[in-house]
Amino acid sequence: MARPIKETPILYGEDARRFEARMKERRRISPEERAEMNTIYKTIMATANF
């Protein structure tokens, strides 16, 4: 049987500032990474039975 999910802790102080800064920065991905992600996505969607 599955265990219940614990509550997410509230961040304070430096941890909260670091978390917020990381959420604001955008991660750039290269065109090669994007192409690889698209091929994986298309493969998964082709095998899924929806």
Side-chain angles (χ1 to χ4, degrees):
M1 184 162 183
R3 289 190 236 157
I5 299 172
K6 295 180 182 177
E7 285 189 35
T8 304
I10 299 172
L11 298 176
Y12 297 101
E14 187 59 33
D15 289 332
R17 283 187 280 281
R18 210 174 22 243
F19 177 80
E20 187 175 2
R22 286 193 65 195
M23 290 297 107
K24 286 183 179 178
E25 72 181 40
R26 294 187 66 174
R27 180 175 174 256
R28 305 283 183 204
I29 60 173
S30 66
E32 294 85 17
E33 281 182 297
R34 185 174 298 276
E36 183 180 357
M37 289 168 67
N38 281 335
T39 56
I40 292 170
Y41 171 77
K42 288 177 184 176
T43 304
I44 291 172
M45 292 309 288
T47 59
N49 296 324
F50 292 113

